[in-house]
Every structure is written in C-alpha cells, then in structure tokens.
C-alpha cells in the first residue's frame, strides 16, 4: 500500500471515529472521569437523611426501653410491697397509712399506702398502694388496690 492510500484510510477511520464520538455525545454516553458537584451533593443529602432516621429510631427505642423499665420496676415493687403489707395485717399489725421511697437503678420511686375499712363486721379492708415517679419531666402514677379479709384459722 502506498502512503496516499494509508493516509486516505486513516482519514476515513478518523472521520468514522469523530461521527461515532458525536453520536455518543448526543446520547450522553461519552466516558467521563469523576463525579460532578451536583452528584456529590445529592449523595451527601441522601446519606444525611438516612443517618438522621437511624439515630432517631435509636433514640425512640431508648426512650421506650426506659419507660418499660420504669413500669416493670413499679409493678414488681408494688407486688412485693402489697404482699408485705398483707402479711403485716395477718400478724395483727394495725396499719392505716404509711409512705416511703426507694431507689433502684438510678430511679427514685415514692410509695403511699392507705388502708380503709370497707365492712367492719366482716373485717373487710381495702388496701390501696400508690407509686409515683418522674419520667420525661412528668409525674407518673401506678396504683394497686385489693380487698383483704382476715381468715381465722
């Protein structure tokens, strides 16, 4: 092949490549290096929204767990305290009112006991035990009441 033929073929190849490159440019398929600033900003915004959502869910789970633990300790303590007071009444102890506080796992609970005579003939009493504590800047209250009658053995 002569130099003229080679040059002619090279021009044809170059023209073909230029046409093909312009077609790729029209379609937006031309290879680019790196990311644009807009793409980076959109990615950062999406990641930030995702991270904020995850952090919020952890916080809400933590608050729910704290409320559940407070209620658990309150119910457990009320049950134990009620059993103690019933035993004291069985042992002929004259209780009418009592109060106190207890602290567990950095939680402070206040309790108050009231005993009312419902029927003196039948020796029927109502035992009412109230428990209060602070939770999320508001006071919570749980009450356990029962009717109690001494049975002579």
């Amino acid at each position: 092949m002569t130099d003229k033929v080679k040059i002619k073929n090279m021009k044809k190849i170059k023209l073909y490549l230029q046409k093909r490159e312009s077609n790729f440019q029209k379609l937006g398929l031309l290879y680019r290096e790196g990311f644009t600033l807009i793409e980076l900003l959109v990615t950062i915004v999406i990641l930030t929204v995702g991270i904020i959502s995850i952090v919020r869910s952890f916080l809400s789970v933590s608050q729910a767990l704290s409320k559940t633990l407070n209620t658990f300790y309150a119910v457990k303590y009320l049950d134990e305290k009620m059993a103690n007071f019933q035993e004291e009444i069985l042992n002929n102890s004259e209780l009418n009112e009592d109060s106190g506080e207890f602290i567990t796992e950095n939680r402070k609970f206040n309790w108050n006991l009231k005993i009312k005579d419902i029927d003196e003939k039948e020796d029927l009493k109502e035992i009412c035990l109230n428990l209060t504590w602070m939770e999320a800047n508001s006071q919570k209250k749980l009450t356990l009441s029962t009717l109690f009658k001494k049975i002579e053995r």
Side-chain angles (χ1 to χ4, degrees):
M1 265 207 230
T2 65
D3 287 335
K4 286 185 180 182
V5 173
K6 284 183 183 178
I7 292 173
K8 192 174 181 182
N9 284 338
M10 292 290 274
K11 285 183 180 179
K12 283 182 181 178
I13 291 173
K14 189 175 182 182
L15 185 63
Y16 171 76
L17 289 176
Q18 285 174 347
K19 283 182 183 179
R20 187 171 171 141
E21 186 176 329
S22 79
N23 286 339
F24 279 124
Q25 282 177 342
K26 286 178 188 174
L27 294 174
L29 299 175
L30 195 60
Y31 176 75
R32 301 177 305 189
E33 288 189 34
F35 299 102
T36 65
L37 183 61
I38 299 284
E39 291 170 332
L40 290 174
L41 289 174
V42 168
T43 303
I44 289 171
V45 167
I46 291 171
L47 287 174
T48 303
V49 168
I51 290 171
I52 289 172
S53 299
I54 291 170
V55 169
R56 280 188 180 170
S57 68
F58 278 122
L59 290 176
S60 65
V61 166
S62 174
Q63 289 172 347
L65 180 61
S66 178
K67 288 179 182 180
T68 302
L69 281 174
N70 286 341
T71 305
F72 170 76
Y73 286 126
V75 169
K76 181 181 173 199
Y77 186 76
L78 280 175
D79 189 43
E80 290 172 3
K81 205 68 169 160
M82 183 64 79
N84 290 344
F85 287 132
Q86 287 175 347
E87 190 174 318
E88 282 186 41
I89 293 171
L90 279 176
N91 294 331
N92 294 324
S93 175
E94 286 299 318
L95 281 174
N96 287 329
E97 287 191 21
D98 198 2
S99 63
E101 69 180 30
F102 76 99
I103 298 173
T104 180
E105 306 238 351
N106 298 325
R107 292 170 175 86
K108 181 180 174 184
F109 295 89
N110 297 308
W111 59 269
N112 184 8
L113 171 74
K114 290 184 181 177
I115 299 176
K116 298 178 192 172
D117 287 324
I118 301 294
D119 187 356
E120 288 189 24
K121 272 195 230 174
E122 297 290 326
D123 196 25
L124 186 63
K125 299 179 186 287
E126 178 186 23
I127 303 172
C128 186
L129 189 57
N130 296 312
L131 193 65
T132 57
W133 69 94
M134 291 301 290
E135 183 177 286
N137 297 327
S138 66
Q139 187 173 17
K140 300 295 182 180
K141 181 178 181 180
L142 193 60
T143 302
L144 180 62
S145 295
T146 188
L147 295 176
F148 185 78
K149 179 179 179 179
K150 286 185 188 179
I151 299 175
E152 301 296 327
R153 295 179 188 181

